[in-house]
Structure formats: structure tokens, C-alpha cells
Amino acid sequence: GGPRVSTPWSSQDTMPQEVDVLKISNDDAAFILGKSGRTKEKIARVSGAELDLFEQSLTLEIRGSEAERRRAKKYVECVMAQRVGPVTIDDDSEDDDLTVIQVPTEAVGFVTGSQGNFLRQVEEEWGTLMFFADFRGRGSGREGQTEKLAIFGPRRGRRGAQLKVMAAVETKVPNYFTGDSKPDEDDDQDEWGTKTLVLKPDELSYALGKKGMTRKKLAKSSGCIVEYVGYTVFMSGTREERTRAKEYLDWLFDQLKGPVYVDGWEERDDCTCVDVPQDCVGYVTGARRATLGKIEEEWGTL
């Protein structure tokens, strides 16, 4: 099955690879493969295991470390369960690969997207597996029902996917996630965590940029996950990444007031200074910053 793809899971798995063999039904085989093999690829990507499906003998071979195989088996079972009805998920597995998010019933269709399109897109972007699971409870004190969306994958991908879904829900049901959030909080003591910041309406459109370009640029240049849920900016990542994202965002807003001075740029390891002759500045910037914007987009810089 070609070269091993490196996965974001920890690689304590250098043991010789064992194989698990699952017998599956004809219908399941098609479902596990998915459209042009996409589902099978997705399960392999998220679990870190290699999957080979033999349609003649209706067997599925799963290769990898013990943890990879366990995850892959679990994901395959979830996918098969989806075919016949709601997925039931054990919350108590030892894999640390699951985030569950409450989605209000009225936003479920929106979050799913036509033919599951929105969820597939998020899975693709963040290397996750997502399905609505059947532990259906009443929302805690929220009016109406909620459904639980299960997000499987490594921590960073789960968080990116979770914030994407939160942002989508928020457009459909305003203040669902941000109604009671304290502004500008940060789990600063934690190496990995989230910083939030509440923007004013006119700041939001600026911080998003055309087609979300500015948000993407902030995320890429800082290495931090940046998502806007309603008017709240969520910045998730390591402490360093969160600090950078916040600083970069502040500079973006400072730009509106005038030139930005970065004190101590010589000492920074995330900064390169280029001298540009006065008469080239307009050319380098481009009409309405188009040239700089292109360079930023290509290289993930600010």
C-alpha cells in the first residue's frame, strides 16, 4: 500500500505491524469505500492505520500499531452503523481521540450541509471524522433539543473542526455558544489552550477580510487555529501560537490608525525586515494591497 503517510498521532508505534481482519457485508463494503474510495482514505488518515478492502472475499485488513488499529476498527464500526441508523458511541474509550459538541436541532441540517457537504469539507480540512451520534439528550437548560456531533481525530484537528462547526451554528442560532462567554479569556496557564476576544461589528468584517482571507492569513502566519464564532475570536493552540495570533491581530487593528511600529523586531524569530526604496513602495504594495496580499497568501505570512 505505498509509502506510510506520517500522521499527527504520536509515533511510539515502531512495533512490527499486526493485521486485524474484519469480515464485512457487501453493502458495508461499498459504504466503507465511499465515493471513489474517499471514506476508506479518510478512516486511514484519521486513524493512522492502513486499510485494504478485498471486495471478492469481503474482508477488510487493518494494519498498524495497536492504537492505530483500535482507532480504525472503531471508525469503521461507526461508518457501518451510520448506514443503518444513528451511531452509538462509547464515551469512555482510552483513545483520547473524541470531542463531542452539542448542536441545537434547528442547526443540524445547516451544519450537515446538502448531502453532508459541510461536514465532509470540515473533515477534509482538519483531518477528522464527524458524525451525529445517538446519545441524544436534552440541551442543558437550552430551549429545544440538541444533537451531539462526535468529532474524531488528533487534538489539533478536533479543535479546528469544533470551532468551524461552532461558527456555523452561531450564524444559524446567534449567541448559542458565545451568549455567556466571558470576554477576552485565556487558559494561560495551559501549554495548549484557547484565547478569546470579543470584536465590535465593524472590526469583525475587517478581521475576516475578503472571503475570510485575513482570518486565514492570521491563522497561517501565527500557526494558531483562528476562527470567529459570532463576534468572538477564538485562538487555539500552544501558548506561543496564541500569543502570536493575538499580537498579529492587534497589529492589524493598529494599521487602521496609522503606521505600525514593531518594537524589538531585531530580537524576534518570526520577523524579517526588508528595506524597500521609497519609489518602489506603491509597486510592491499593489493596487489596494493586491501584490502584498498575494505574497502573504502564497507564503503564509503577514
Side-chain angles (χ1 to χ4, degrees):
R4 294 270 296 151
V5 183
S6 74
T7 74
W9 296 99
S10 59
S11 48
Q12 80 286 15
D13 314 321
T14 41
M15 301 295 290
Q17 294 197 342
E18 300 272 323
V19 180
D20 287 335
V21 180
L22 300 184
K23 293 295 283 177
I24 51 175
S25 72
N26 211 344
D27 292 340
D28 280 334
F31 213 69
I32 290 165
L33 266 176
K35 202 162 151 192
S36 39
R38 268 194 218 125
T39 308
K40 179 171 86 73
E41 274 168 27
K42 184 165 68 181
I43 294 170
R45 176 183 176 195
V46 179
S47 64
E50 282 182 49
L51 275 69
D52 289 301
L53 193 138
F54 299 98
E55 299 190 65
Q56 290 73 34
S57 54
L58 290 178
T59 51
L60 179 67
E61 292 187 0
I62 302 176
R63 282 182 181 70
S65 69
E66 196 186 330
E68 289 169 340
R69 296 196 318 274
R70 187 176 61 233
R71 286 193 296 259
K73 271 206 300 230
K74 178 169 64 182
Y75 302 161
V76 165
E77 279 159 14
C78 284
V79 165
M80 294 193 306
Q82 252 193 319
R83 188 171 69 79
V84 289
V87 184
T88 313
I89 289 167
D90 292 333
D91 241 345
D92 52 1
S93 90
E94 68 268 55
D95 284 323
D96 188 25
D97 63 345
L98 170 64
T99 298
V100 176
I101 172 174
Q102 301 270 2
V103 176
T105 307
E106 64 264 44
V108 168
F110 185 65
V111 165
T112 309
S114 72
Q115 295 163 357
N117 240 329
F118 179 74
L119 283 184
R120 298 300 83 81
Q121 229 173 313
V122 177
E123 288 177 329
E124 187 67 25
E125 180 180 356
W126 288 106
T128 54
L129 256 176
M130 302 160 76
F131 3 70
F132 281 98
D134 90 328
F135 26 37
R136 238 179 250 187
R138 295 195 70 81
S140 49
R142 303 270 187 198
E143 56 105 354
Q145 297 265 313
T146 62
E147 295 198 30
K148 288 190 172 146
L149 178 66
I151 304 173
F152 288 103
R155 177 175 67 183
R156 193 181 183 84
R158 293 200 312 270
R159 184 67 181 148
Q162 178 187 8
L163 288 172
K164 261 284 182 264
V165 170
M166 283 166 63
V169 169
E170 197 78 5
T171 56
K172 196 82 181 142
V173 187
N175 299 330
Y176 185 79
F177 288 111
T178 56
D180 44 15
S181 74
K182 324 281 166 294
D184 312 353
E185 53 188 68
D186 189 0
D187 352 344
D188 249 341
Q189 61 292 2
D190 302 329
E191 177 40 38
W192 164 270
T194 298
K195 202 182 193 48
T196 60
L197 178 75
V198 180
L199 299 179
K200 302 183 190 70
D202 56 325
E203 292 177 326
L204 178 68
S205 57
Y206 176 70
L208 257 173
K210 229 187 8 268
K211 292 194 179 144
M213 287 309 304
T214 309
R215 177 188 70 76
K216 291 181 186 140
K217 171 169 85 182
L218 260 179
K220 220 166 156 190
S221 58
S222 64
C224 193
I225 300 167
V226 179
E227 196 57 69
Y228 306 138
V229 179
Y231 288 112
T232 307
V233 190
F234 281 75
M235 296 168 265
S236 288
T238 62
R239 193 181 300 128
E240 252 180 18
E241 290 166 348
R242 301 195 302 270
T243 307
R244 265 201 305 266
K246 169 75 172 78
E247 195 173 19
Y248 292 0
L249 186 59
D250 289 342
W251 289 338
L252 281 177
F253 287 128
D254 290 347
Q255 267 192 307
L256 292 173
K257 307 183 193 106
V260 176
Y261 296 98
V262 179
D263 289 326
W265 62 266
E266 300 88 349
E267 276 78 65
R268 300 180 65 110
D269 61 358
D270 63 345
C271 175
T272 303
C273 183
V274 182
D275 289 315
V276 177
Q278 196 65 56
D279 52 0
C280 296
V281 170
Y283 179 66
V284 169
T285 310
R288 303 176 63 177
R289 226 174 156 280
T291 312
L292 277 184
K294 254 205 193 72
I295 296 170
E296 288 176 328
E297 193 182 347
E298 181 178 357
W299 292 104
T301 54
L302 192 66

